[in-house]
PDB file of all heavy atoms in Angstrom:
ATOM      1  N   ALA A 184     -80.584   8.035 -11.325  1.00  0.00           N
ATOM      2  CA  ALA A 184     -81.139   9.387 -11.253  1.00  0.00           C
ATOM      3  C   ALA A 184     -80.201  10.468 -11.775  1.00  0.00           C
ATOM      4  O   ALA A 184     -80.638  11.418 -12.412  1.00  0.00           O
ATOM      5  CB  ALA A 184     -81.534   9.697  -9.816  1.00  0.00           C
ATOM      6  N   GLY A 185     -78.915  10.344 -11.515  1.00  0.00           N
ATOM      7  CA  GLY A 185     -77.991  11.457 -11.724  1.00  0.00           C
ATOM      8  C   GLY A 185     -77.661  11.748 -13.175  1.00  0.00           C
ATOM      9  O   GLY A 185     -78.208  11.136 -14.089  1.00  0.00           O
ATOM     10  N   ASP A 186     -76.752  12.719 -13.345  1.00  0.00           N
ATOM     11  CA  ASP A 186     -76.314  13.098 -14.692  1.00  0.00           C
ATOM     12  C   ASP A 186     -75.006  12.422 -15.063  1.00  0.00           C
ATOM     13  O   ASP A 186     -74.479  12.642 -16.147  1.00  0.00           O
ATOM     14  CB  ASP A 186     -76.131  14.619 -14.768  1.00  0.00           C
ATOM     15  CG  ASP A 186     -77.478  15.332 -14.702  1.00  0.00           C
ATOM     16  OD1 ASP A 186     -78.428  14.831 -15.331  1.00  0.00           O
ATOM     17  OD2 ASP A 186     -77.575  16.360 -14.014  1.00  0.00           O
ATOM     18  N   THR A 187     -74.465  11.607 -14.132  1.00  0.00           N
ATOM     19  CA  THR A 187     -73.209  10.907 -14.429  1.00  0.00           C
ATOM     20  C   THR A 187     -73.445   9.392 -14.401  1.00  0.00           C
ATOM     21  O   THR A 187     -74.461   8.928 -13.900  1.00  0.00           O
ATOM     22  CB  THR A 187     -72.113  11.252 -13.390  1.00  0.00           C
ATOM     23  OG1 THR A 187     -72.569  10.860 -12.090  1.00  0.00           O
ATOM     24  CG2 THR A 187     -71.792  12.739 -13.407  1.00  0.00           C
ATOM     25  N   ASN A 188     -72.451   8.683 -14.931  1.00  0.00           N
ATOM     26  CA  ASN A 188     -72.556   7.224 -14.891  1.00  0.00           C
ATOM     27  C   ASN A 188     -71.152   6.608 -14.907  1.00  0.00           C
ATOM     28  O   ASN A 188     -70.199   7.230 -15.373  1.00  0.00           O
ATOM     29  CB  ASN A 188     -73.360   6.709 -16.090  1.00  0.00           C
ATOM     30  CG  ASN A 188     -74.126   5.435 -15.780  1.00  0.00           C
ATOM     31  OD1 ASN A 188     -73.951   4.855 -14.706  1.00  0.00           O
ATOM     32  ND2 ASN A 188     -74.956   5.010 -16.715  1.00  0.00           N
ATOM     33  N   VAL A 189     -71.052   5.406 -14.365  1.00  0.00           N
ATOM     34  CA  VAL A 189     -69.825   4.610 -14.434  1.00  0.00           C
ATOM     35  C   VAL A 189     -70.223   3.291 -15.070  1.00  0.00           C
ATOM     36  O   VAL A 189     -71.059   2.583 -14.509  1.00  0.00           O
ATOM     37  CB  VAL A 189     -69.237   4.335 -13.025  1.00  0.00           C
ATOM     38  CG1 VAL A 189     -67.961   3.511 -13.130  1.00  0.00           C
ATOM     39  CG2 VAL A 189     -68.982   5.635 -12.280  1.00  0.00           C
ATOM     40  N   VAL A 190     -69.680   3.002 -16.228  1.00  0.00           N
ATOM     41  CA  VAL A 190     -70.118   1.792 -16.932  1.00  0.00           C
ATOM     42  C   VAL A 190     -68.927   0.932 -17.336  1.00  0.00           C
ATOM     43  O   VAL A 190     -67.788   1.407 -17.423  1.00  0.00           O
ATOM     44  CB  VAL A 190     -70.941   2.126 -18.205  1.00  0.00           C
ATOM     45  CG1 VAL A 190     -72.182   2.943 -17.853  1.00  0.00           C
ATOM     46  CG2 VAL A 190     -70.102   2.827 -19.256  1.00  0.00           C
ATOM     47  N   THR A 191     -69.210  -0.329 -17.582  1.00  0.00           N
ATOM     48  CA  THR A 191     -68.234  -1.262 -18.142  1.00  0.00           C
ATOM     49  C   THR A 191     -68.801  -1.782 -19.453  1.00  0.00           C
ATOM     50  O   THR A 191     -69.949  -2.238 -19.489  1.00  0.00           O
ATOM     51  CB  THR A 191     -67.986  -2.426 -17.163  1.00  0.00           C
ATOM     52  OG1 THR A 191     -67.518  -1.884 -15.923  1.00  0.00           O
ATOM     53  CG2 THR A 191     -66.940  -3.393 -17.705  1.00  0.00           C
ATOM     54  N   LEU A 192     -68.017  -1.644 -20.533  1.00  0.00           N
ATOM     55  CA  LEU A 192     -68.475  -2.122 -21.839  1.00  0.00           C
ATOM     56  C   LEU A 192     -68.021  -3.563 -22.012  1.00  0.00           C
ATOM     57  O   LEU A 192     -66.822  -3.851 -21.967  1.00  0.00           O
ATOM     58  CB  LEU A 192     -67.881  -1.260 -22.964  1.00  0.00           C
ATOM     59  CG  LEU A 192     -68.151   0.245 -22.887  1.00  0.00           C
ATOM     60  CD1 LEU A 192     -67.623   0.940 -24.143  1.00  0.00           C
ATOM     61  CD2 LEU A 192     -69.632   0.530 -22.697  1.00  0.00           C
ATOM     62  N   ILE A 193     -68.980  -4.454 -22.216  1.00  0.00           N
ATOM     63  CA  ILE A 193     -68.655  -5.879 -22.321  1.00  0.00           C
ATOM     64  C   ILE A 193     -68.989  -6.392 -23.716  1.00  0.00           C
ATOM     65  O   ILE A 193     -70.131  -6.259 -24.179  1.00  0.00           O
ATOM     66  CB  ILE A 193     -69.426  -6.680 -21.256  1.00  0.00           C
ATOM     67  CG1 ILE A 193     -69.001  -6.188 -19.862  1.00  0.00           C
ATOM     68  CG2 ILE A 193     -69.143  -8.178 -21.390  1.00  0.00           C
ATOM     69  CD1 ILE A 193     -69.819  -6.756 -18.738  1.00  0.00           C
ATOM     70  N   THR A 194     -67.980  -6.923 -24.370  1.00  0.00           N
ATOM     71  CA  THR A 194     -68.179  -7.561 -25.677  1.00  0.00           C
ATOM     72  C   THR A 194     -67.552  -8.949 -25.594  1.00  0.00           C
ATOM     73  O   THR A 194     -66.973  -9.319 -24.564  1.00  0.00           O
ATOM     74  CB  THR A 194     -67.487  -6.774 -26.822  1.00  0.00           C
ATOM     75  OG1 THR A 194     -66.081  -6.825 -26.614  1.00  0.00           O
ATOM     76  CG2 THR A 194     -67.948  -5.318 -26.860  1.00  0.00           C
ATOM     77  N   GLU A 195     -67.598  -9.696 -26.708  1.00  0.00           N
ATOM     78  CA  GLU A 195     -66.977 -11.033 -26.691  1.00  0.00           C
ATOM     79  C   GLU A 195     -65.470 -10.936 -26.481  1.00  0.00           C
ATOM     80  O   GLU A 195     -64.832 -11.908 -26.103  1.00  0.00           O
ATOM     81  CB  GLU A 195     -67.305 -11.794 -27.981  1.00  0.00           C
ATOM     82  CG  GLU A 195     -66.825 -11.053 -29.211  1.00  0.00           C
ATOM     83  CD  GLU A 195     -67.093 -11.814 -30.505  1.00  0.00           C
ATOM     84  OE1 GLU A 195     -67.754 -12.852 -30.480  1.00  0.00           O
ATOM     85  OE2 GLU A 195     -66.602 -11.330 -31.545  1.00  0.00           O
ATOM     86  N   ASN A 196     -64.896  -9.742 -26.714  1.00  0.00           N
ATOM     87  CA  ASN A 196     -63.457  -9.567 -26.528  1.00  0.00           C
ATOM     88  C   ASN A 196     -63.062  -9.162 -25.109  1.00  0.00           C
ATOM     89  O   ASN A 196     -61.892  -8.915 -24.856  1.00  0.00           O
ATOM     90  CB  ASN A 196     -62.915  -8.526 -27.511  1.00  0.00           C
ATOM     91  CG  ASN A 196     -63.203  -8.918 -28.945  1.00  0.00           C
ATOM     92  OD1 ASN A 196     -63.881  -8.195 -29.660  1.00  0.00           O
ATOM     93  ND2 ASN A 196     -62.730 -10.083 -29.339  1.00  0.00           N
ATOM     94  N   GLY A 197     -64.027  -9.032 -24.222  1.00  0.00           N
ATOM     95  CA  GLY A 197     -63.686  -8.716 -22.847  1.00  0.00           C
ATOM     96  C   GLY A 197     -64.420  -7.498 -22.317  1.00  0.00           C
ATOM     97  O   GLY A 197     -65.344  -6.993 -22.955  1.00  0.00           O
ATOM     98  N   ALA A 198     -63.971  -7.038 -21.140  1.00  0.00           N
ATOM     99  CA  ALA A 198     -64.657  -5.951 -20.439  1.00  0.00           C
ATOM    100  C   ALA A 198     -63.748  -4.746 -20.300  1.00  0.00           C
ATOM    101  O   ALA A 198     -62.567  -4.891 -20.012  1.00  0.00           O
ATOM    102  CB  ALA A 198     -65.081  -6.442 -19.060  1.00  0.00           C
ATOM    103  N   GLU A 199     -64.282  -3.569 -20.548  1.00  0.00           N
ATOM    104  CA  GLU A 199     -63.520  -2.331 -20.395  1.00  0.00           C
ATOM    105  C   GLU A 199     -64.266  -1.393 -19.468  1.00  0.00           C
ATOM    106  O   GLU A 199     -65.306  -0.847 -19.831  1.00  0.00           O
ATOM    107  CB  GLU A 199     -63.332  -1.647 -21.756  1.00  0.00           C
ATOM    108  CG  GLU A 199     -62.502  -2.458 -22.735  1.00  0.00           C
ATOM    109  CD  GLU A 199     -62.576  -1.899 -24.155  1.00  0.00           C
ATOM    110  OE1 GLU A 199     -62.533  -0.667 -24.339  1.00  0.00           O
ATOM    111  OE2 GLU A 199     -62.705  -2.714 -25.085  1.00  0.00           O
ATOM    112  N   GLU A 200     -63.701  -1.197 -18.271  1.00  0.00           N
ATOM    113  CA  GLU A 200     -64.351  -0.305 -17.323  1.00  0.00           C
ATOM    114  C   GLU A 200     -64.021   1.142 -17.663  1.00  0.00           C
ATOM    115  O   GLU A 200     -62.864   1.478 -17.927  1.00  0.00           O
ATOM    116  CB  GLU A 200     -63.917  -0.625 -15.887  1.00  0.00           C
ATOM    117  CG  GLU A 200     -64.771   0.135 -14.888  1.00  0.00           C
ATOM    118  CD  GLU A 200     -64.429  -0.157 -13.426  1.00  0.00           C
ATOM    119  OE1 GLU A 200     -63.724  -1.141 -13.153  1.00  0.00           O
ATOM    120  OE2 GLU A 200     -64.892   0.630 -12.579  1.00  0.00           O
ATOM    121  N   GLN A 201     -65.014   1.981 -17.670  1.00  0.00           N
ATOM    122  CA  GLN A 201     -64.833   3.401 -17.971  1.00  0.00           C
ATOM    123  C   GLN A 201     -64.819   4.200 -16.671  1.00  0.00           C
ATOM    124  O   GLN A 201     -65.358   3.755 -15.667  1.00  0.00           O
ATOM    125  CB  GLN A 201     -65.982   3.899 -18.870  1.00  0.00           C
ATOM    126  CG  GLN A 201     -66.258   3.019 -20.071  1.00  0.00           C
ATOM    127  CD  GLN A 201     -65.112   3.009 -21.071  1.00  0.00           C
ATOM    128  OE1 GLN A 201     -64.552   4.044 -21.381  1.00  0.00           O
ATOM    129  NE2 GLN A 201     -64.761   1.830 -21.556  1.00  0.00           N
ATOM    130  N   GLU A 202     -64.245   5.388 -16.731  1.00  0.00           N
ATOM    131  CA  GLU A 202     -64.268   6.221 -15.531  1.00  0.00           C
ATOM    132  C   GLU A 202     -65.599   6.960 -15.401  1.00  0.00           C
ATOM    133  O   GLU A 202     -66.443   6.894 -16.283  1.00  0.00           O
ATOM    134  CB  GLU A 202     -63.095   7.196 -15.544  1.00  0.00           C
ATOM    135  CG  GLU A 202     -62.793   7.779 -16.897  1.00  0.00           C
ATOM    136  CD  GLU A 202     -61.428   8.463 -16.927  1.00  0.00           C
ATOM    137  OE1 GLU A 202     -61.392   9.619 -16.501  1.00  0.00           O
ATOM    138  OE2 GLU A 202     -60.441   7.844 -17.366  1.00  0.00           O
ATOM    139  N   LEU A 203     -65.735   7.667 -14.286  1.00  0.00           N
ATOM    140  CA  LEU A 203     -66.932   8.474 -14.045  1.00  0.00           C
ATOM    141  C   LEU A 203     -67.032   9.576 -15.093  1.00  0.00           C
ATOM    142  O   LEU A 203     -66.073  10.326 -15.297  1.00  0.00           O
ATOM    143  CB  LEU A 203     -66.864   9.091 -12.648  1.00  0.00           C
ATOM    144  CG  LEU A 203     -68.010  10.030 -12.252  1.00  0.00           C
ATOM    145  CD1 LEU A 203     -69.266   9.243 -11.898  1.00  0.00           C
ATOM    146  CD2 LEU A 203     -67.609  10.916 -11.086  1.00  0.00           C
ATOM    147  N   MET A 204     -68.169   9.665 -15.766  1.00  0.00           N
ATOM    148  CA  MET A 204     -68.370  10.675 -16.818  1.00  0.00           C
ATOM    149  C   MET A 204     -69.812  11.138 -16.784  1.00  0.00           C
ATOM    150  O   MET A 204     -70.668  10.469 -16.208  1.00  0.00           O
ATOM    151  CB  MET A 204     -68.138  10.044 -18.196  1.00  0.00           C
ATOM    152  CG  MET A 204     -66.718   9.849 -18.603  1.00  0.00           C
ATOM    153  SD  MET A 204     -66.691   9.086 -20.233  1.00  0.00           S
ATOM    154  CE  MET A 204     -66.495   7.383 -19.779  1.00  0.00           C
ATOM    155  N   SER A 205     -70.089  12.234 -17.479  1.00  0.00           N
ATOM    156  CA  SER A 205     -71.481  12.644 -17.669  1.00  0.00           C
ATOM    157  C   SER A 205     -72.154  11.597 -18.556  1.00  0.00           C
ATOM    158  O   SER A 205     -71.486  10.890 -19.324  1.00  0.00           O
ATOM    159  CB  SER A 205     -71.549  14.017 -18.329  1.00  0.00           C
ATOM    160  OG  SER A 205     -71.210  13.917 -19.696  1.00  0.00           O
ATOM    161  N   LYS A 206     -73.474  11.517 -18.489  1.00  0.00           N
ATOM    162  CA  LYS A 206     -74.187  10.525 -19.317  1.00  0.00           C
ATOM    163  C   LYS A 206     -74.012  10.827 -20.808  1.00  0.00           C
ATOM    164  O   LYS A 206     -73.992   9.913 -21.626  1.00  0.00           O
ATOM    165  CB  LYS A 206     -75.668  10.439 -18.904  1.00  0.00           C
ATOM    166  CG  LYS A 206     -75.806   9.697 -17.570  1.00  0.00           C
ATOM    167  CD  LYS A 206     -77.226   9.443 -17.115  1.00  0.00           C
ATOM    168  CE  LYS A 206     -77.191   8.620 -15.808  1.00  0.00           C
ATOM    169  NZ  LYS A 206     -78.503   8.447 -15.172  1.00  0.00           N
TER     170      LYS A 206
END
Side-chain angles (χ1 to χ4, degrees):
D186 290 320
T187 60
N188 211 353
V189 180
V190 301
T191 302
L192 304 186
I193 299 172
T194 65
E195 59 178 7
N196 302 120
E199 296 168 42
E200 190 179 345
Q201 311 294 316
E202 39 194 277
L203 177 77
M204 282 180 264
S205 74
K206 286 185 177 173

